[in-house]
């Protein structure tokens, strides 16, 4: 398995470079949760298409309003960026959109009309960054305590790789970062960490039971032993995520797309990034010996 270690490391670095370049060149698209704006949820008496609603809005110079179907063809979510509000209150353009649509379809119902200021969006961004930093610190402490500090470095490196690849994919495919996609990103972190812990547990077992073999051989056996479990778990999860991506509609498309990118990246990083770094950091079988085992060997 680890005969592919160097090509896998090269491919990992290439993917990381593409992700960073995508973020630098294209920028990460931010949703209204972080930039501020208005959200309107409307219910129409008859079945309509999102394309028809977009055409009506474009005719009234509301082309930047995004339209999202919520299922059934009756309920729709309209998102208005803060730039439409100008210097006035953020709810003014929202009322204008409702008035325009009501002139075409008088019987529509306003289910929700929320405003989010840019200051609140900046606060959400700060809290999200703080939460991510605390997650990394917690992962490092937990993995270092349960295994060894080199395992902790590998786990954190894999998580950073997953976040970079996922954010790069969001920049490349123009998936906006909002609270929904942020939740998907945090789910990816948890999923990837779980995969890494399972492999690390087997690595520790192999290093302790095969003390006369090389670390590379022990890690290869450990990865092969957990490979079927990792691929089956990831594969079945991807089937569900693909179903959400194809049939979930606009409301779940961003969430499912981020999960799909993250699942692929998380599976890759758990096998090659997290485990491969253990060899780079000089992990040896004797590093995993229990104190009693070390005494027995000394005797």
């Amino acid at each position: 398995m680890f005969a592919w270690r160097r090509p896998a490391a090269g491919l990992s670095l290439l993917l990381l470079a593409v992700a960073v370049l995508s973020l630098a060149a294209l920028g990460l698209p931010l949703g209204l949760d972080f930039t501020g704006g208005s959200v309107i949820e409307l219910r129409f008496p008859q079945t309509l298409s999102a394309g028809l609603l977009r055409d009506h809005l474009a005719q009234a110079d509301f082309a930047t309003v995004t339209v999202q179907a919520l299922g059934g063809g009756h309920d729709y979510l309209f998102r208005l960026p803060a730039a439409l509000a100008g210097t006035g209150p953020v709810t003014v353009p929202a009322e204008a959109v409702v008035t325009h649509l009501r002139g075409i379809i008088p019987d529509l119902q306003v289910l929700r009309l929320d405003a989010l200021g840019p200051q609140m969006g900046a606060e959400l961004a700060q809290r999200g960054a703080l939460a991510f930093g605390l997650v990394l610190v917690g992962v490092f402490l937990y993995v270092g305590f349960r295994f060894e500090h080199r395992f902790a470095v590998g786990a954190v490196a894999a998580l950073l790789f997953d976040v970079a690849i996922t954010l790069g994919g969001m920049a490349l495919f123009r998936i906006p970062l909002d609270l929904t996609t942020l939740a998907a990103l945090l789910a990816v972190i948890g999923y990837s960490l779980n995969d890494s812990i399972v492999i690390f547990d087997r690595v520790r077992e192999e290093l302790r039971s095969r003390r006369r073999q090389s670390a590379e051989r022990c890690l290869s056996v450990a990865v092969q032993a957990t490979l079927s479990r990792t691929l089956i778990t990831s594969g079945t999860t991807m089937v569900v995520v693909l179903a959400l991506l194809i049939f979930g509609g606009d409301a779940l498309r961003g969430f499912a797309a981020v999960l799909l990118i993250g699942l692929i990246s998380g599976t890759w990083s758990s096998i090659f990034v997290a485990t491969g770094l253990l060899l780079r950091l000089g992990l040896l079988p004797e590093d995993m010996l229990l104190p009693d085992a070390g005494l027995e060997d000394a005797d």
Side-chain angles (χ1 to χ4, degrees):
M1 187 73 189
F2 272 75
W4 295 93
R5 180 165 58 93
R6 287 182 176 82
L11 182 56
S12 298
L13 290 175
L14 177 62
L15 292 174
L16 190 59
V18 171
V20 172
L21 288 175
S22 298
L23 283 171
L26 303 175
L28 185 64
L30 299 177
L32 297 186
D33 296 320
F34 296 101
T35 61
S38 300
V39 178
I40 316 167
E41 186 177 346
L42 301 178
R43 175 169 295 167
F44 296 93
Q46 67 267 36
T47 302
L48 299 171
S49 67
L52 179 62
L53 292 172
R54 291 190 189 100
D55 292 340
H56 284 308
L57 292 171
Q59 293 171 7
D61 295 329
F62 289 122
T64 54
V65 177
T66 59
V67 183
Q68 189 176 69
L70 297 180
H74 291 274
D75 294 353
Y76 282 88
L77 197 67
F78 299 82
R79 299 177 183 269
L80 291 75
L84 285 179
T87 57
V90 76
T91 54
V92 170
E95 295 291 351
V97 169
V98 174
T99 301
H100 174 70
L101 291 174
R102 186 164 276 154
I104 302 170
I105 307 167
D107 297 331
L108 65 84
Q109 300 177 45
V110 180
L111 302 181
R112 179 161 64 102
L113 197 157
D114 295 330
L116 181 65
Q119 292 182 346
M120 188 178 296
E123 184 178 349
L124 285 173
Q126 292 174 359
R127 290 184 177 181
L130 177 61
F132 178 65
L134 291 176
V135 165
L136 291 183
V137 172
V139 167
F140 186 87
L141 293 176
Y142 168 74
V143 178
F145 176 77
R146 180 174 175 181
F147 296 95
E148 202 252 2
H149 73 277
R150 278 167 283 202
F151 287 84
V153 173
V156 170
L159 293 185
L160 289 174
F161 177 86
D162 294 334
V163 171
I165 295 298
T166 305
L167 291 179
M170 292 174 67
L172 191 62
F173 297 109
R174 311 313 295 164
I175 304 171
L177 177 66
D178 52 26
L179 292 181
T180 303
T181 52
L182 180 61
L185 187 60
L186 293 176
V188 165
I189 291 174
Y191 191 94
S192 176
L193 178 61
N194 178 68
D195 270 353
S196 298
I197 293 296
V198 170
I199 296 176
F200 284 171
D201 198 53
R202 190 57 184 262
V203 166
R204 180 173 58 182
E205 180 183 332
E206 292 295 330
L207 288 172
R208 286 176 175 173
S209 61
R210 300 172 183 266
R211 296 194 297 269
R212 298 186 181 278
Q213 296 190 16
S214 65
E216 183 171 353
R217 173 61 180 167
C218 292
L219 265 65
S220 179
V221 171
V223 170
Q224 289 180 18
T226 56
L227 185 62
S228 60
R229 179 263 179 202
T230 300
L231 293 180
I232 290 173
T233 303
S234 300
T236 52
T237 307
M238 285 179 195
V239 170
V240 177
V241 173
L242 277 173
L244 286 177
L245 183 64
I246 298 171
F247 304 109
D250 294 337
L252 294 175
R253 185 163 291 121
F255 178 83
V258 171
L259 269 183
L260 184 61
I261 297 171
L263 284 172
I264 297 172
S265 172
T267 303
W268 176 270
S269 68
S270 297
I271 297 173
F272 293 107
V273 177
T275 312
L277 269 178
L278 297 179
L279 289 178
R280 290 283 183 182
L281 295 173
L283 184 69
L284 297 174
E286 49 264 31
D287 295 326
M288 290 290 100
L289 289 180
L290 295 170
D292 292 343
L295 291 175
E296 289 174 4
D297 290 343
D299 293 337

